[in-house]
Amino acid sequence: QSAEGAVWQLRPADRARLATLQRTLLRWRDSGIEVEGSVAFTIAPCVSGAPAPRRGRVSIAMRADMETGFQTVVDNMRLRRLLGHSLRDLEPCIG
């Protein structure tokens, strides 16, 4: 969820893959298998219009379904640190 209130969602194919994984993990847990894991995500920012900002910060919150609230995953982290390179190296947006 952005500071402006926008919410980005998973693509339908990624949502289906996540739902399948969740069902598998729940089935394992329900059968007594200890379940442990992690979630990974990829962001691909780009520059549109004005030059890339010198500094940027990002917060990421996720929720598992429409009934639960958002859980903070990344809180006010330097975007450069998250990307692993300078914001000046961002590619222009396509389209």
Side-chain angles (χ1 to χ4, degrees), residues 1-10 41 43 57-63 65-66 68-77:
Q1 183 169 13
S2 74
E4 296 82 28
V7 175
W8 292 278
Q9 298 180 2
L10 295 174
F41 57 91
I43 64 170
R57 301 194 76 78
V58 64
S59 294
I60 299 171
M62 298 175 68
R63 67 180 174 185
D65 55 46
M66 297 303 286
T68 60
F70 283 94
Q71 300 296 314
T72 300
V73 178
V74 175
D75 189 23
N76 200 29
M77 180 184 284

Side-chain angles (χ1 to χ4, degrees), residues 19-88:
T20 299
L21 178 60
Q22 287 173 322
R23 283 191 299 275
T24 300
L25 294 174
L26 287 172
R27 193 169 50 250
W28 289 350
R29 189 186 68 187
D30 291 345
S31 67
I33 298 171
E34 190 170 323
V35 178
E36 191 174 309
S38 62
V39 174
F41 57 91
T42 302
I43 64 170
C46 59
V47 178
S48 63
R54 290 184 48 209
R55 295 186 180 137
R57 301 194 76 78
V58 64
S59 294
I60 299 171
M62 298 175 68
R63 67 180 174 185
D65 55 46
M66 297 303 286
E67 288 76 39
T68 60
F70 283 94
Q71 300 296 314
T72 300
V73 178
V74 175
D75 189 23
N76 200 29
M77 180 184 284
R78 287 178 37 223
L79 184 55
R80 176 187 173 124
R81 179 174 175 218
L82 188 66
L83 295 175
H85 60 77
S86 170
L87 298 185
R88 287 176 287 208

